Amino acid sequence: MRVYNFSAGPAALPLEVLEQAQKEFLDYNGTGMSITEMSHRSKAFMALNEEARILLRELMKIPDGYDVLFVQGGASQQFAAVPLNLMKTGKADYILTGNFAEKAYEEACLYGDAAVVASSQDRGYTCIPDIEKISFREETDYVHITSNNTIFGTRYTAFPKTTAPLVADMSSHILSEEIDVSLFGLIYAGAQKNIAPAGLTIVIVRKDLEENFSPCLPCPTMLRYSTQAKNDSLYNTPPCFSIYMACLVFRWLKKFGGIKEIQKINEYKANLLYDFIDNSGFYSNHVEKKDRSLMNVPFVTPSKELDEKFVKEAASFGIVSIKGHRLVGGMRASIYNAMPVDGVKALISFMKKFAQENS
Ligand SMILES: *Cc1c(COP(=O)(O)O)cnc(C)c1O
């Protein structure tokens, strides 16, 4: 039996996509072999690699001045790749909105003068700092944000206006809502939240930033955006299976009507859950309402003991991976694109029942 999987990542994938992958696992497209067994230079794989890139461009309306790269190492590798590629004069501004933003900042400190220009740490990361009030340093090479905070359940609904290129870690909400790519110098995202199995990292980079590294701090060949751009992301062996799965997910999303349509469903799912939590008199979510994530919904019951009991009992109702991150405690429902409305409804019915039995 398939469960409703609320994992923050690696996360649930659309059932249709899994079934398609299963169907063609032993014999991909008449080649007589699995996609996991063939050369990354084969016609069949190169066609997929190309299709995935084109579909992502189409879905996110990525302007011509940007390259789409498929790399490895996760978002965490990009914490280093971003400063190594973009710190031309050695300065970068960071906005801290959670654990991953902190990690990105700490990594940048290894390579240059990284500064925290705003932070919601003093508010327990329950909100996004007021972007109108931030002053950025002159001559900063870029400004880094984490646009959706997976652990704390916050998201930017507007982006800071900067003269330096804006860089965003979109790992946990890429493809969940319409975003104007032209506002950014660079976007990166680990695929395992909203796109594909782990192993693939998406980078969308403005072409003029591809070789913006400092002469004093040469960027490793494999981490250079220019290396990947010049080689259609096939400089070395790419994560073939993840790219294939990403391609299937992109096709699925296109068939669904694209990001505009999935955004409506995502807003509907998130509203159902937040409205229920806010009106339950039993559960609470501590995030400032205007900054709530559509993808990651942390919540608590009135006590730690009940939180534990909740997680345990939910599993017997087919609701799994709902335990909150250790930094926040309680529960977290990650409701990415692949989570059907029925999954959110099933969660809410269980929450209702649990509240009745325990209040
Ligand atoms: C999951 C996540 C990461 C870490 O991604 P890896 O691919 O495991 O390195 C970084 N940033 C955000 C916002 C995330 O959600």
Side-chain angles (χ1 to χ4, degrees), residues 277-333:
I277 291 170
D278 292 343
N279 297 313
S280 68
F282 184 82
Y283 301 100
S284 43
N285 163 282
H286 299 303
V287 173
E288 188 131 330
K289 283 191 181 157
K290 65 174 179 38
D291 298 329
R292 282 173 163 176
S293 169
L294 295 176
M295 298 282 98
N296 309 99
V297 182
F299 63 93
V300 291
T301 68
S303 77
K304 282 204 164 67
E305 294 69 39
L306 284 174
D307 288 348
E308 262 174 46
K309 191 173 172 204
F310 182 99
V311 171
K312 228 182 252 166
E313 287 183 14
S316 51
F317 283 80
I319 288 166
V320 309
S321 305
I322 192 112
K323 192 173 184 316
H325 190 276
R326 67 194 150 74
L327 290 174
V328 179
M331 279 71 66
R332 169 178 51 178

Side-chain angles (χ1 to χ4, degrees), residues 39-324:
S39 164
H40 58 291
R41 314 253 175 229
S42 63
K43 234 179 169 175
F45 181 78
M46 301 256 281
L48 261 178
N49 193 50
E50 176 79 2
E51 184 189 346
R53 209 150 17 99
I54 291 168
L55 282 172
L56 185 63
R57 295 197 86 101
E58 212 179 296
L59 287 165
M60 290 183 71
K61 303 189 172 74
I62 299 172
D64 284 344
Y66 290 76
D67 276 318
V68 171
L69 315 178
F70 295 151
V71 301
Q72 304 194 54
S76 303
Q77 178 79 286
Q78 292 307 307
F79 296 167
V82 165
L84 281 166
N85 278 279
L86 304 187
M87 261 190 179
K88 194 166 200 168
T89 71
K91 272 189 184 179
D93 289 355
Y94 279 72
I95 302 179
L96 301 193
T97 49
N99 191 46
F100 290 118
E102 281 178 14
K103 285 184 166 167
Y105 162 69
E106 284 161 15
E107 192 70 19
C109 289
L110 298 177
Y111 305 109
D113 169 16
V116 176
V117 289
S119 170
S120 53
Q121 191 184 28
D122 57 343
R123 303 270 313 269
Y125 290 133
T126 54
C127 62
I128 300 294
D130 184 352
I131 56 168
E132 302 295 333
K133 292 203 179 122
I134 304 174
S135 46
F136 301 98
R137 295 184 298 172
E138 264 174 54
E139 291 166 16
T140 192
D141 291 318
Y142 63 89
V143 174
H144 182 280
I145 65 168
T146 311
S147 50
N148 184 80
N149 296 276
T150 325
I151 295 174
F152 296 90
T154 61
R155 94 185 203 276
Y156 287 72
T157 49
F159 301 104
K161 288 183 184 61
T162 57
T163 39
L166 185 61
V167 174
D169 175 357
M170 291 196 183
S171 294
S172 49
H173 78 151
I174 189 169
L175 300 180
S176 71
E177 60 182 307
E178 289 192 296
I179 279 172
D180 179 358
V181 174
S182 72
L183 298 175
F184 298 87
L186 188 146
I187 292 168
Y188 65 90
Q192 70 274 21
K193 313 282 164 67
N194 215 6
I195 295 181
L200 169 65
T201 310
I202 309 282
V203 175
I204 301 162
V205 57
R206 220 172 64 202
K207 288 179 182 172
D208 62 293
L209 298 175
E210 280 169 8
E211 283 193 344
N212 240 31
F213 39 81
S214 149
C216 321
L217 190 70
C219 181
T221 307
M222 264 300 286
L223 292 190
R224 288 183 192 197
Y225 298 130
S226 55
T227 304
Q228 302 296 349
K230 279 180 211 152
N231 291 283
D232 293 334
S233 304
L234 294 172
Y235 175 73
N236 72 332
T237 317
C240 303
F241 187 70
S242 290
I243 291 171
Y244 157 74
M245 290 294 283
C247 191
L248 296 189
V249 167
F250 297 155
R251 284 183 198 156
W252 170 82
L253 193 51
K254 182 176 173 177
K255 205 171 107 195
F256 194 89
I259 298 182
K260 195 173 174 177
E261 292 308 309
I262 203 90
Q263 177 173 350
K264 287 183 200 158
I265 304 290
N266 287 334
E267 283 166 352
Y268 175 72
K269 288 187 303 192
N271 285 336
L272 271 185
L273 190 49
Y274 285 121
D275 284 348
F276 171 74
I277 291 170
D278 292 343
N279 297 313
S280 68
F282 184 82
Y283 301 100
S284 43
N285 163 282
H286 299 303
V287 173
E288 188 131 330
K289 283 191 181 157
K290 65 174 179 38
D291 298 329
R292 282 173 163 176
S293 169
L294 295 176
M295 298 282 98
N296 309 99
V297 182
F299 63 93
V300 291
T301 68
S303 77
K304 282 204 164 67
E305 294 69 39
L306 284 174
D307 288 348
E308 262 174 46
K309 191 173 172 204
F310 182 99
V311 171
K312 228 182 252 166
E313 287 183 14
S316 51
F317 283 80
I319 288 166
V320 309
S321 305
I322 192 112
K323 192 173 184 316

